[in-house]
Amino acid sequence: MGYDLRPDLTWPEIAMLMLVVAVMFADMILRPERRGLLFGLSAAGLVAIGLGMVLSPHGVGTAFHGAHMADGFSWLVKIFMTCVLLTVILVTWPFLDRLRSVVGTHLILVLASGLGMMALASSNSLIVMFIALELATIPLMILTALGRGDSQAHEAGLKFLIFGAVASAFTIFGIALVWGYSGGLMNLTDLRGVVAAGGAGLPMTIGVVMLFAGLAFKTAIAPFHVWVPDVYQGAPTPITAFLAGGSKAAGFTALLRVAVALFAPGEGEAIIDWPLALAILAGLTAVLGNMAAIWQTDLKRLLAHASVGHAGFLLMGMAVIGTAGGLLGLSALAYYLVFYAAAVALVFFCMGLVSRAGGGDLLSDFEGLGRRSPAIAAAMLVGVLSMGGIPPLAGFTGKILILAATVKGELIWLTFIAGFAMVLSIVYMLMILRALYLLPPREGAVTGARLGRWEGAALIILSLLLIVFGAVPGPVLDPIREAMQAMAGLSPTEIMVAATGG
Amino acid sequence: MITEITTTHWIVLAAVLFGIGLLGVLARRNALVILLSVELMLNAANLVFVALGHHLGDVQGQVIAMVVMAIAAAEATVGLAVIVLVSRTCRTLNPDELTELKG
C-alpha cells in the first residue's frame, strides 16, 4: 500500500513546513543584528506560497487515505491564512526592537501555528483535526507567555494553557467516543453517512457534544469564552491580532467541517436539535460579548470582548445550516471572517505603532489621537467603523449578509437578537471614536508616532480592502459561495468520485 | 456479581477518570496539580481508544493512543515551562492569586 501523498493537493502544507525549517536554520546562521532579515524571508516565503495557490488551479480530492481533504473551501482558507500570517508578521514589525533575541523563535512559532491552521482547514479525519488543532494552539501558548516578558504575559500564558489543555482533553475524549461508537470511523465524510442514516446513538452524541465544546473554546463561543479577555489583554499585541484573526478563523473552519458532517438532521430522531442549539449559543455569544465590551477601559480587553461578540455573529451563519438560508449563511460566515480579520489586523497594527512610540493599551491612552497622529487615527477609524458595522464598510456588509441568512432560514427571533447585538457594538465603537477624536490629548501623551513608508502603505491597503470590498462584495463573495456549495453539497459518494478522478 | 469485565466497564472507568480529572482542574488550587489533572483527562481518552479498539478488533485505536500520548507530552512540556516562568515572576502558582488581568 502506498502512502497516497498526492503532492499536487498537499503542497501548500509541505511548502509551509519547509519555510518553518528554513527560518529555523536562518535564525541559527544569521548574526543577531541581522535578524531583521528573517522577517523578509518569512514574508517572501508566505507571498510565494500564497501566489502559488492563487495562480494554480486547485485540485479536488483526498490524500493520506481520506485524512486530508483538498477542495475549493480549504484552498480559499489556506490563501486567507497566508494573508493573515503576512499581516501578523507585519503587525510584529513595530516590536522588532523589543523582541531582540527572540525574533527568530517568534517567527518560527507564528509560522508553525499557521501550518497547523492550514492543515486544520484540510482535515477530514478527526485525529488529523486534533493534531492540527494542537499544532495551531501550542505555539500560541508559548507566544502569549514569551512575547513581553512581564508578569501579565506570563499570567495570560498560564490561563491560556490551562483552558487550552482542558479543551483539548474534551476534544480528544469526544473524538474517542465518536470513533468507537460509529464502528471505527475516523473520516468526516464516512461519519456523515452514519449520521444521515440516523445511526448516532447516545454515546456518539455525547462524543459530538464534547468535540463541539473543545472547538467552541477555540472559537470563543459562550459559555466557553471566559479565557478570552485575560489572554487577549496579557498577550503581546501582534499575538492578540493572531488569536483574534487567525486562530478564530481556523477554529471556525474546523467547526464548519464538523457541522456539515455531524450536525445535519438525519433520518432518525436526533437526540440534540443542533441547529436550534447553535442558534441559541450564537445569540447568547453575540449579546454577552458586545455587552461586556461596553464596560471596558483597556482597549485590548474591549476588543477581546468584541471578538466574542463577532464569534456570535459567525455562529449565526452556521446555525442556518440545513435551512433555505444555509448556503447564504455559510458564505456570509466566510465573508464576515475574512474582513473581520482585516479590521482586526488594521486596529492592532495601529495599536502596535502607538505602543512603539511609548503609548499604552488603555482607552485613555488613545484620547486625542486624531490630533496627535492623524494618519494612524484615520486608519484606526476605518477598522473600528468596520467592526461596529457602519456602511459601506465590509463589517456592515458581513453583518447584513448574516441577518439576511437568518431571515431566509426563518429564524426571525435570531434576527432580532442580532440586531440588538449590532446596536450594542455601535456603542463600544462610539466609545473608541470619542477617545480618538472628541477628547483632548492627556498631559504627557505621546505625540507624532513615527510611521514608515511601508507601514503607511500597509495601513492604506488594509483600509482600502475594507472600504472597496464592503461596497462591492461580489468579487469576494462569489468564489466563497461556489466553494461553500461544493463543500456542503457533496455527498460522500460524490467525493469518492472526485477523489478517483472519475 | 461481575463475572466478566466487558467493554462497557472500561468506558465507565474512563468516564470516571475523566470526571476525576475535571474535578481536579476545577477544585485544586495549584497550577501543577491542575496540569496533572488534565493529563488524567487525556489518558481517560486513551483508555476509550484502546478499549473500543480492542472491542472492534481495530488496531487503529492503539495507534491513536500513542499519538495522543505524544501530543500530551508536548503540551506538558510547554505547560511546565510556562509554570516555571509564572512561579519566577508572580511568586505564586495559585490561579486565584493571579489577578493582574481583570476588567
Side-chain angles (χ1 to χ4, degrees), chain A residues 134 151-152 154-155 186 230, chain B residues 64 75 89 98 100-101 103:
Chain A
E134 292 300 298
S151 57
Q152 274 199 3
H154 296 163
E155 183 186 331
M186 203 43 110
D230 282 352
Chain B
I64 294 172
E75 202 145 28
T89 50
L98 293 170
E100 250 188 81
L101 302 168

Side-chain angles (χ1 to χ4, degrees), chain A residues 468-484:
Chain A
V468 172
F469 289 118
V472 194
V476 179
L477 205 52
D478 291 342
I480 287 176
R481 188 175 292 150
E482 257 170 53
M484 284 297 176

Side-chain angles (χ1 to χ4, degrees), chain A residues 127 130-131 134 138 141-142 145-146 149-152 154-159 161-162 164-166 168-170 172-173 175-177 179-181 183-184 186 210 230-231 233-234 296 301, chain B residues 11 14-15 18 22 25 31 34-35 38 41-42 44-45 48-49 52-53 56 58 60-61 64 67-68 71 74-75 78-80 82-83 85-86 89-90 93 95 98-103:
Chain A
I127 198 71
F130 178 68
I131 296 172
E134 292 300 298
I138 292 177
M141 294 171 179
I142 309 175
L146 182 79
D150 61 8
S151 57
Q152 274 199 3
H154 296 163
E155 183 186 331
L158 184 65
K159 285 180 175 166
L161 177 92
I162 292 173
V166 172
S168 57
F170 268 93
I172 194 65
F173 201 88
I175 290 173
L177 289 177
W179 172 78
Y181 284 95
M186 203 43 110
M210 293 176 82
D230 282 352
V231 172
Q233 187 189 349
Q296 303 307 318
R301 212 175 166 86
Chain B
I11 303 301
F18 191 86
L22 187 60
V25 171
I34 290 176
L35 208 61
V38 174
M41 293 166 83
L42 287 167
V48 175
F49 271 120
L52 287 176
L56 297 167
D58 190 345
Q60 203 185 5
I64 294 172
V67 172
V68 173
I71 294 176
E75 202 145 28
V78 174
L80 289 175
V82 172
I83 285 175
L85 276 178
V86 169
T89 50
C90 306
L93 280 180
L98 293 170
T99 50
E100 250 188 81
L101 302 168
K102 61 180 170 191

Side-chain angles (χ1 to χ4, degrees), chain B residues 2 4 6 13 15 31 35 44 76 85 96 98 101:
Chain B
I2 300 166
E4 195 186 356
T6 61
L13 174 64
L35 208 61
L85 276 178
D96 290 343
L98 293 170
L101 302 168

Side-chain angles (χ1 to χ4, degrees), chain A residues 207-275:
Chain A
V208 177
V209 170
M210 293 176 82
L211 176 58
F212 173 76
L215 290 173
F217 157 83
K218 189 90 189 140
T219 44
I221 292 165
F224 305 100
H225 70 289
V226 283
W227 62 280
V228 170
D230 282 352
V231 172
Y232 279 30
Q233 187 189 349
T237 306
I239 300 310
T240 312
F242 197 22
L243 279 168
S247 177
K248 183 166 296 212
F252 264 103
T253 56
L255 200 52
L256 206 54
R257 283 206 189 271
V258 171
V260 167
L262 300 179
F263 293 176
E267 283 166 11
E269 190 72 22
I271 296 170
I272 291 180
D273 184 358
W274 276 108

Side-chain angles (χ1 to χ4, degrees), chain A residues 81-98:
Chain A
M81 278 304 162
T82 52
C83 298
V84 168
L85 286 170
L86 270 174
T87 47
V88 170
I89 289 176
L90 175 84
V91 178
T92 314
W93 179 251
F95 292 88
L96 180 60
D97 297 334
R98 211 181 293 179

